[in-house]
Amino acid sequence: MIIDIHAHVSAPAELYAYQANLLASRGGQRKSTLKVEDEKVERALKPHLKFLDEAGTDLQLLSPRPYTMMHHEKPDKIVHWYIEACNDLIARQCRMHPNRFKGVAALPQSVGVPIEQALPELERCVRELGFVGCLINPDPGARGDDSTPAMGEEYWYLLYEKLVELDVPGMIHSSTCLSSRLSYTLHFILEESIAVVSLLNSKVFEEFPSLKIVVAHGGGAIPYHMGRFMAGRYPSRRGHERDLKGESQYFENVAKKLHYDTCLYTPEALELLFKVIGANNCMFGTESPGAGSAVNPRTNRAMDDLKPFIEGFDFLSEADKRNIFELNARKLYRI
């Protein structure tokens, strides 16, 4: 069985018209609900389902499209209303195709607002809608600044506590980018890298040993620059005052408390991820159909067609491949 843990909703146009109305009114009118017929929801899903069939994917975890989540917008209530509409739409698609989709919630995060305000929606999605996880945006302000504390800080502890209570994982996945210096895709990688380093330099996993955190896009930059981050923990040539065993292994060991998807798009990057992190901490994820669905001229296949790469890696055992494609996701997401 092939389980894809990283995918985003294919929505009818009515969802984005609803969002536009929220932005135009700024919540000046009373709360409305998204109204769209099942036929239109199914029509929006048709190409998505065809893509899954062609890719050989059996089950996919669906979440809202992060670049649309507008966590930076004000007032906060329009963010809540839009996120609720996204989550409700995904719940409908999961009910329509219960053997193909499971829901992963977006959280109604807002810059400058305590994270506890997002927790009721997380609890609703898990307990009432049957969702199996959530997305966590480390930078709801969308500017890469310090308007929101890093993910190793106590600001996030109530969310971590709730994730442990509900026994669901959170996937680190940033959202919109308002900086003129970089695209939202680059913003994803930067914010995920910052989040990983903050977690690894914190006491989060001491405080919450059963916390389950997945890092999108193969862990940002961290697995591919592990040596650079570990180097500062080795004793210098000029002195041996630091504990070699404790310090040099710290970063690598704690890194393996995290989980990583395979949303990387090249065999070279995938190989490095598996060799640095190990098959037991990686799960198949393609973010498709989406940005990676463009055709790679080297292979004449869609860039997010990752299954043939993984199947062809001789250094992975058949047990490793089954863990990556299925068993790790079943265990982590309890599906």
Side-chain angles (χ1 to χ4, degrees):
M1 184 175 191
I2 305 296
I3 300 175
D4 184 343
I5 70 159
H6 186 168
H8 304 304
V9 65
S10 293
E14 283 80 0
L15 175 65
Y16 304 113
Y18 175 78
Q19 180 186 38
N21 286 332
L22 290 177
L23 290 169
S25 68
R26 293 290 161 179
Q29 303 171 352
R30 65 181 182 179
K31 181 181 179 181
S32 62
T33 58
L34 173 65
K35 296 178 181 178
V36 55
E37 298 86 353
D38 283 351
E39 180 183 354
K40 291 182 178 180
V41 175
E42 189 67 46
R43 190 184 308 149
L45 269 180
K46 188 174 181 180
H48 194 130
L49 290 165
K50 182 174 183 290
F51 186 94
L52 295 187
D53 290 339
E54 292 174 349
T57 300
D58 299 293
L59 180 68
Q60 198 173 54
L61 308 190
L62 280 184
S63 60
R65 293 200 175 270
Y67 76 91
T68 73
M69 290 196 300
M70 65 180 200
H71 288 145
H72 60 285
E73 295 288 355
K74 296 293 181 180
D76 300 338
K77 64 182 179 181
I78 68 171
V79 178
H80 279 254
W81 295 350
Y82 178 67
I83 295 299
E84 288 173 10
C86 288
N87 290 335
D88 286 340
L89 178 64
I90 289 171
R92 286 177 68 183
Q93 294 181 335
C94 291
R95 289 193 297 269
M96 289 175 169
H97 299 276
N99 296 323
R100 301 306 297 269
F101 298 122
K102 297 289 184 183
V104 172
L107 300 180
Q109 298 174 240
S110 292
V111 64
V113 174
I115 193 63
E116 63 191 281
Q117 293 195 22
L119 302 187
E121 178 64 4
L122 171 60
E123 189 145 14
R124 180 183 81 95
C125 287
V126 174
R127 296 196 187 279
E128 298 179 21
L129 303 182
F131 282 24
V132 297
C134 73
L135 301 181
I136 305 172
N137 182 2
D139 179 35
R143 295 188 182 276
D145 57 21
D146 58 0
S147 58
T148 299
M151 288 191 67
E153 301 298 323
E154 291 187 10
Y155 167 88
W156 299 94
Y157 276 22
L158 288 176
L159 172 60
Y160 299 153
E161 185 178 87
K162 182 60 68 175
L163 290 172
V164 170
E165 175 191 328
L166 296 172
D167 193 20
V168 295
M171 173 183 274
I172 300 171
H173 196 313
S174 66
S175 181
T176 314
C177 178
L178 300 180
S179 171
S180 62
R181 297 178 60 239
L182 67 165
S183 67
Y184 77 87
T185 298
L186 182 55
H187 185 64
F188 288 171
I189 304 303
L190 291 176
E191 286 300 324
E192 288 146 13
S193 302
I194 292 167
V196 170
V197 172
S198 177
L199 286 168
L200 298 187
N201 287 325
S202 76
K203 294 183 178 180
V204 164
F205 290 105
E206 296 175 28
E207 299 286 343
F208 305 96
S210 58
L211 178 66
K212 299 185 287 191
I213 295 291
V214 183
V215 193
H217 310 112
I222 303 306
Y224 321 97
H225 291 276
M226 185 70 79
R228 184 173 187 87
F229 291 102
M230 291 176 65
R233 296 187 173 274
Y234 282 92
S236 68
R237 293 180 180 179
R238 297 180 180 178
H240 300 280
E241 69 280 0
R242 300 172 74 176
D243 175 14
L244 174 62
K245 183 177 180 181
E247 290 287 331
S248 66
Q249 297 300 314
Y250 170 82
F251 194 97
E252 183 178 10
N253 289 342
V254 179
K256 291 181 179 179
K257 293 182 181 294
L258 300 168
H259 305 269
Y260 304 80
D261 73 9
T262 61
C263 192
L264 291 168
Y265 302 151
T266 67
E268 295 85 358
L270 286 167
E271 180 175 352
L272 189 55
L273 173 68
F274 296 144
K275 288 184 174 179
V276 170
I277 298 300
N280 289 336
N281 288 73
C282 295
M283 291 173 289
F284 186 65
T286 65
E287 204 172 30
S288 58
S293 298
V295 175
N296 184 339
R298 291 170 54 189
T299 64
N300 204 33
R301 297 198 308 258
M303 294 189 72
D304 53 18
D305 185 10
L306 306 179
K307 190 171 73 164
F309 293 146
I310 298 171
E311 289 175 333
F313 286 147
D314 293 336
F315 64 89
L316 292 175
S317 68
E318 291 306 308
D320 288 336
K321 293 172 186 177
R322 190 177 180 203
N323 283 338
I324 293 165
F325 283 130
E326 178 186 3
L327 298 185
N328 293 343
R330 284 196 179 280
K331 180 179 179 181
L332 198 73
Y333 287 93
R334 297 187 300 125
I335 52 180

